[in-house]
Amino acid sequence: MKDRLERISNFMVSLFAGIASFVFTLVAVIMLRDLDEQIAASLTMGLFALLIVWVASERPNSGHARAVSALIDRLLAVDKGDLTSPAPAVVRHEMPALASAVDNLFAQVRSNLDNVHVMALYDPVTALPNRIHFKGEADRILKTRGPGERVALLFIDLDGFKEVNDNLGHALGDHVLTMVANRLREVVKAEARPAHEPQPLLARLAGDEFTLLLPAVEDAQEAERIAGLALAAIGQPYSAAEHSVDMGASIGVAICPRHGEDLTSLMKAADTAMYDAKAKGRSRVSLYRPEMAAAVEQKIMTEKALRQALARGEFELAFQPQICARTGSVLAAEALLRWNHPTEGMRLPGSFIAVAEESSLMVDIGDWVIDAAAATLQRWRAAGMTQRLTFNVSPRQLERPDFFKRLRETLAHTCAPPWLLELEFTESLAMKCDEAALCELAALREEGASVAIDDFGSGYSNLSRLNDMPLDRIKLDQGLVQGVDVSDGARTIVSAVIHLIHGLGCEAVAEGVERTEQRDVLRAIGCDLLQGFAFAEPMGEAEFVAWIGDHMLPPARLPRIA
């Protein structure tokens, strides 16, 4: 109807223009005689004709004008949040191609916004809700819980994931994280509630940290049961690009309202419980207890004091001799870290090393030990001493790609001879050394340094790997040595271990020798070096140097056993 009216309107305009032109021309021909008047009339008729042409050309485009106006109104509606309305009908009629393009444009915008929404609220690796999404949903669940209802929060931290990333690379590490997320989804699916009730909420917070919110649990025991299922699921082996990965998790559990009524309190409690699980050996579940908060506070205070100790120069080295079982000569000394606390006195490593290992402080403390050991070797060499100096290397130090470079630079700067240096690695760390670290150790050993494994017998060892490692000495764990003089079984085990060490081409070192009876038995069954209170306690450098002169024969450096 509208189009028909428009055509009639255009016809009337054209008819009027034609009649007006005819009348105007007729009048001009009849009445005008003078040439100037005829010229003026011709110009006027020409302008009038142009006007008629313009009107005739504009009228057919009036539909386009309305379409453009409607399109402008539609675009301005975006400012009010309208991204769903289609292009106006007049645009679709007058300019169908433009209408289709506008609809496609808005569809793409909506798709992009949906993608941005997903990226903002979901983890791109596991597709689980991220920290922001989890916080919003968890707050809502906690605020709407019914009277007397309990809500459990599980804080899940993977054990050993950093080694997976380091050994297999971040791509396979992400693949393992995806498998972890899928296993946790299966646990959550098994605990799903009726559709009208709040569902368990699983999320990845960051890195190797996951969290699980369980609405309306019966009691703490139910939460611990579900946490146990999650722990068992995560603990199953993983297969990633022909690699088999074993990994566990430490899980902390907090209950609302018992341990807090808001998400911040629950997260803090669950996080504290998770650290308690790690401190007790990892791969376990720990329910929050108030006394755990005191332990965390003590950890924070210790970490702060350690930073101050580094800045104030409060660390010292103590030295305990290693004695040749055959000759009684002092062949080496182990450098042991001590913290001369300004108010608590001398603190042993057991009171602070675990805290340092959990932070970056262990790297800084390890650097201090390297500097102090190199300076000590420089002084001993100047004094004509030939005892080896051995110290323990932390896993945190070995993680640094520049560890061996820095060690060499320190030795070169202090002119400390590498052949008087011995690096000790715990048994567990030695089993995790990658090929790059083993190559660096082999190169350092070629330069004259010695390599030892500490605490042998306290963990799991791959004998084939031990045979391939560049080793000079293996130190028996104190637990093996403790009953060697009173137990036939202990004596048999230690004797077998010593023969195994000799079979690997290494010297056997027994530490923790506290009684002369232990010393005599160890010497009789072939142990090479002895260390412990039966000979001397750890002492300061000046005391150690004096002790050598007062108690022992002149040392002789033994040739390396191939």
Side-chain angles (χ1 to χ4, degrees):
M1 181 67 180
K2 186 176 181 181
D3 293 340
R4 185 177 180 183
L5 290 175
E6 185 175 342
R7 287 195 297 271
I8 294 173
S9 175
N10 289 337
F11 173 77
M12 293 301 295
V13 169
S14 299
L15 180 62
F16 171 77
I19 294 173
S21 298
F22 172 77
V23 172
F24 190 86
T25 303
L26 181 63
V27 170
V29 170
I30 296 173
M31 298 182 65
L32 297 178
R33 300 295 183 185
D34 189 72
L35 179 61
D36 293 337
E37 291 177 347
Q38 290 176 348
I39 292 174
S42 298
L43 290 174
T44 302
M45 285 187 292
L47 291 173
F48 182 75
L50 289 175
L51 175 63
I52 295 302
V53 171
W54 178 77
V55 171
S57 64
E58 286 297 314
R59 288 292 293 175
N61 292 331
S62 60
H64 285 60
R66 288 195 301 273
V68 170
S69 177
L71 180 59
I72 292 173
D73 292 338
R74 171 65 189 90
L75 295 175
L76 290 176
V78 174
D79 188 49
K80 300 178 181 179
D82 184 3
L83 293 173
T84 57
S85 297
V90 63
V91 179
R92 195 173 305 282
H93 179 268
E94 296 290 337
M95 308 172 184
L98 179 60
S100 177
V102 169
D103 289 341
N104 290 338
L105 174 63
F106 278 107
Q108 185 62 49
V109 170
R110 290 194 299 272
S111 176
N112 290 342
L113 289 176
D114 290 341
N115 291 336
V116 170
H117 179 75
V118 170
M119 292 175 63
L121 297 180
Y122 290 87
D123 171 51
V125 175
T126 62
L128 290 175
N130 61 14
R131 182 184 292 271
I132 296 174
H133 189 177
F134 174 78
K135 184 179 184 303
E137 287 297 306
D139 281 334
R140 182 185 60 79
I141 292 173
L142 290 172
K143 289 177 182 177
T144 57
R145 69 182 181 89
E149 285 187 349
R150 298 178 182 86
V151 177
L153 179 66
L154 277 58
F155 195 100
I156 305 167
D157 188 87
L158 302 182
D159 296 328
F161 178 71
K162 186 179 186 306
E163 288 78 6
V164 174
N165 256 350
D166 292 343
N167 296 332
L168 301 183
H170 290 280
L172 287 181
D174 287 348
H175 180 56
V176 172
L177 284 176
T178 301
M179 289 190 284
V180 170
N182 290 337
R183 294 183 185 186
L184 290 175
R185 283 189 179 96
E186 291 299 318
V187 174
V188 170
K189 183 178 178 181
E191 302 299 327
R193 304 174 61 80
H196 64 279
E197 297 183 11
Q199 300 299 312
L201 180 61
L202 174 65
R204 181 192 177 201
L205 298 185
D208 59 353
E209 296 177 350
F210 295 81
T211 189
L212 175 58
L213 190 75
L214 301 170
V217 294
E218 291 293 330
D219 48 32
Q221 286 71 31
E222 182 183 1
E224 289 183 286
R225 176 187 65 80
I226 297 173
L229 294 175
L231 186 67
I234 295 173
Q236 297 298 315
Y238 299 83
S239 178
E242 300 181 354
H243 295 277
S244 180
V245 177
D246 292 317
M247 193 169 57
S250 298
I251 303 179
V253 181
I255 307 296
C256 172
R258 178 178 168 187
H259 302 139
E261 297 189 13
D262 59 83
L263 183 60
T264 301
S265 300
L266 284 178
M267 288 286 287
K268 183 177 180 180
D271 186 53
T272 300
M274 182 273 295
Y275 276 109
D276 178 75
K278 283 191 178 294
K280 290 181 177 177
R282 304 189 173 192
S283 295
R284 64 184 63 211
V285 175
S286 184
L287 178 67
Y288 175 77
R289 301 186 309 278
E291 55 266 29
M292 291 179 183
V296 171
E297 183 64 26
Q298 180 62 40
K299 173 182 174 293
I300 294 173
M301 292 177 60
T302 300
E303 185 174 334
K304 180 179 178 181
L306 283 172
R307 295 186 187 280
Q308 295 174 342
L310 276 169
R312 297 172 181 172
E314 296 174 0
F315 291 112
E316 300 178 4
L317 289 182
F319 304 89
Q320 189 172 37
Q322 291 181 358
I323 311 300
C324 177
R326 297 186 296 274
T327 67
S329 299
V330 182
L331 299 182
E334 180 177 5
L336 302 167
L337 185 64
R338 297 291 185 264
W339 179 9
N340 192 1
H341 196 282
T343 59
E344 300 177 14
M346 199 65 71
R347 292 181 59 171
L348 300 180
S351 67
F352 61 86
I353 283 295
V355 174
E357 288 281 7
E358 291 178 7
S359 68
S360 60
L361 281 171
M362 195 62 241
V363 174
D364 297 329
I365 294 174
D367 285 345
W368 182 91
V369 171
I370 290 175
D371 292 339
T376 300
L377 280 178
Q378 182 187 37
R379 290 190 294 271
W380 288 5
R381 185 186 186 191
M385 297 173 59
T386 58
Q387 282 80 14
R388 291 189 314 276
L389 183 61
T390 174
F391 65 88
N392 202 274
V393 176
S394 161
R396 288 280 189 175
Q397 291 175 274
L398 203 60
E399 289 170 1
R400 292 177 51 176
D402 64 338
F403 169 73
F404 291 98
K405 177 183 177 182
R406 188 190 183 286
L407 177 62
R408 288 187 175 92
E409 290 175 348
T410 303
L411 292 176
H413 178 72
T414 57
C415 298
W419 55 88
L420 294 182
L421 180 70
E422 181 169 284
L423 303 182
E424 286 188 16
F425 300 86
T426 62
E427 181 183 18
S428 57
L429 178 57
M431 293 300 103
K432 296 177 182 177
C433 281
D434 57 25
E435 290 301 320
L438 292 180
C439 290
E440 289 282 6
L441 280 175
L444 194 66
R445 191 167 177 261
E446 286 296 322
E447 296 167 16
S450 302
V451 180
I453 287 183
D454 194 14
D455 299 330
F456 185 76
S458 61
Y460 167 78
S461 287
N462 184 321
L463 296 182
S464 176
R465 183 177 178 84
L466 281 178
N467 190 49
D468 294 335
M469 290 184 67
L471 293 175
D472 295 279
R473 292 167 195 90
I474 296 179
K475 300 180 71 174
L476 281 70
D477 183 68
Q478 295 186 36
L480 293 176
V481 174
Q482 189 174 15
V484 72
D485 59 330
V486 294
S487 168
D488 291 339
R491 191 158 46 247
T492 300
I493 292 174
V494 171
S495 178
V497 171
I498 290 175
H499 281 83
L500 173 64
I501 292 172
H502 288 163
L504 292 171
C506 301
E507 290 183 324
V509 183
E511 58 181 345
V513 182
E514 300 178 349
R515 300 183 294 275
T516 55
E517 293 82 2
Q518 293 172 324
R519 177 198 65 190
D520 295 339
V521 171
L522 289 166
R523 180 188 291 121
I525 61 179
C527 193
D528 301 290
L529 287 91
L530 308 173
Q531 175 184 344
F533 288 179
F535 304 97
E537 297 184 7
M539 60 194 87
E541 183 180 357
E543 186 181 357
F544 173 74
V545 173
W547 186 89
I548 291 177
D550 293 342
H551 294 83
M552 288 296 166
L553 299 173
R557 188 171 187 272
L558 297 182
R560 172 180 290 142
I561 299 177

